[in-house]
Amino acid sequence: MTDVKLDARKPVLALAIGDPAGVGPELAARVITDPEIRAAADLIVVGDRRVLSRGAEVAGVKVAMDVCHSSRELRDGHGTVLVDLGHLDPVSIEVGVASKEGGAFALKNFRTCIELAAVGQAGAVCFTPFNKAAMRMAHPSYDDEIGYGAEVLGTNAPASEFNILEKLWNGRVTSHVPLSGVAALITRASVLKGIRLMNASLRDAGFAPPRIAVAGLNPHAGDGGNFGREEIETIEPAIEEAKREGIKVEGPFPPDTVFVRATKGAFDGVLTMYHDQGQIAMKLIGFDSGVTLLGGFDFPMCTPAHGSAYDIAGKGIANIGASKAALLLAAKMAAKRGRQAAAA
């Protein structure tokens, strides 16, 4: 089929089918058929028709959509479309096992979606869960989605990963680095960059003005220097500079209590210093509904915060909540950016 139409009145999301050995295909099939998502956005689904069909069979849904074989066949109009790259026979993949073939499949889908958004054919990128081990088998230099996205786009712009529940965001100053290396990366510049990016991303999602809390690095936020001086010498000066720029930010707060205040409505976002400092809290609060946003690019990139879930793959029991929330957030952000561009 050629010249597949997309509805210019709705935001268009490019959806990459994730790791084929995990829950990605079945979640893709379920979100494609979800009425709320189809009302909010048109989808360009990127993957292999055979993988999606197996996902639909596992999920117990029927997927009906136009199919093309290249992004060159897409044009403005109406519809949700599958770009069938024909690059993986699911028979070759063992469910629940990471493989180079599975990683290559997910990487090609992701790259294609990024390229679609880069040229304006999609307003946002979404993906069902990847498996980083499989991605590294196929692309040894693969670190994470932010690094790969920057590589594809050829950009060095500041970008960061945000974990999101309905009314609470979590950002972090450092991400996928060993814990032993975190303290050296906590600088005034890196903390200030994290605050600025969180402020901009929250505003992009409709918070005006966002209220940001910054966690300390050390127990009890250093306890006045008794347990470390990063809060005094690095984190607090960055917060004060951000305040002078007009950002509504407070801290540093003890890491073990800041989320208690945030969940009670005191803050819209919490900036933590390292990966697990925020991830553990957010996943305890809402594992089945958490969204990961890759912020700082020219377009939003969203995915469920959980992983490829090899332990339940193929059983048809994967919860759609986080994937659905990811696509709805991407649609909201893409629609807002579209309105802003039209008004400019």
Side-chain angles (χ1 to χ4, degrees):
M1 178 175 291
T2 60
D3 292 336
V4 178
K5 297 180 180 180
L6 299 169
D7 190 345
R9 297 168 299 176
K10 290 192 285 187
V12 177
L13 311 181
L15 173 64
I17 300 176
D19 190 277
V23 295
E26 60 193 271
L27 288 174
R30 292 189 64 193
V31 295
I32 290 166
T33 57
D34 186 89
E36 189 176 356
I37 290 173
R38 296 192 74 135
D42 277 337
L43 304 178
I44 303 174
V45 183
V46 179
D48 188 298
R49 189 197 316 219
R50 296 165 293 178
V51 174
L52 182 61
S53 294
R54 187 168 82 168
E57 182 180 353
V58 170
V61 299
K62 292 184 177 181
V63 176
M65 59 197 311
D66 288 332
V67 178
C68 63
H69 301 283
S70 167
S71 59
R72 292 188 298 273
E73 299 175 15
L74 299 169
R75 64 185 176 87
D76 290 341
H78 178 75
T80 287
V81 184
L82 171 65
V83 179
D84 179 11
L85 299 179
H87 55 320
L88 184 73
D89 185 343
V91 174
S92 67
I93 295 295
E94 183 178 353
V95 174
V97 178
S99 68
K100 181 179 180 180
E101 293 75 15
F105 169 83
L107 278 168
K108 187 169 184 179
N109 298 344
F110 190 30
R111 173 180 282 274
T112 301
C113 287
I114 293 171
E115 291 171 344
L116 285 168
V119 298
Q121 286 186 275
V125 169
C126 298
F127 49 96
T128 55
F130 295 150
N131 182 280
K132 287 185 173 59
M135 307 285 253
R136 291 189 184 106
M137 291 179 194
H139 188 68
S141 64
Y142 187 90
D143 185 21
D144 57 22
E145 289 74 29
I146 288 179
Y148 187 74
E151 177 185 323
V152 173
L153 294 168
T155 179
N156 292 317
S160 185
E161 188 174 295
F162 297 95
N163 291 105
I164 301 166
L165 298 173
E166 184 179 3
K167 296 181 179 179
L168 179 61
W169 286 45
N170 167 232
R172 48 191 185 254
V173 176
T174 67
S175 189
H176 298 117
V177 298
L179 192 58
S180 60
V182 167
L185 298 175
I186 304 301
T187 65
R188 179 170 175 168
S190 66
V191 175
L192 182 59
K193 182 178 75 172
I195 295 171
R196 287 170 174 164
L197 187 53
M198 171 165 265
N199 181 65
S201 297
L202 280 163
R203 285 183 176 275
D204 202 23
F207 293 84
R211 302 163 300 158
I212 299 171
V214 178
L217 172 66
N218 299 298
H220 305 293
D223 189 36
N226 290 321
F227 307 140
R229 296 191 59 81
E230 284 85 358
E231 287 77 10
I232 296 170
E233 297 175 358
T234 301
I235 301 173
E236 188 172 348
I239 292 170
E240 292 305 313
E241 185 170 347
K243 286 180 178 179
R244 291 192 291 271
E245 295 177 2
I247 299 175
K248 194 169 183 180
V249 57
E250 299 180 45
F253 296 107
D256 59 348
T257 60
V258 65
F259 280 95
V260 176
R261 295 184 60 183
T263 56
K264 292 180 179 179
F267 305 106
D268 303 308
V270 178
L271 181 69
T272 50
M273 295 298 111
Y274 57 91
H275 185 278
D276 286 2
Q277 195 180 49
Q279 282 279 69
I280 292 171
M282 294 293 282
K283 289 187 177 181
L284 280 171
I285 296 166
F287 182 80
D288 288 332
S289 58
V291 172
T292 296
L293 165 71
L294 310 185
F297 295 106
D298 289 339
F299 46 85
M301 291 195 261
C302 298
T303 187
H306 62 74
S308 49
Y310 281 173
D311 58 324
I312 62 169
K315 298 180 181 180
I317 59 174
N319 191 304
I320 192 180
S323 296
K324 181 173 179 177
L327 268 72
L328 291 176
L329 175 63
K332 177 181 177 181
M333 296 181 73
K336 181 181 177 183
R337 291 191 181 198
R339 292 192 298 268
Q340 290 173 335

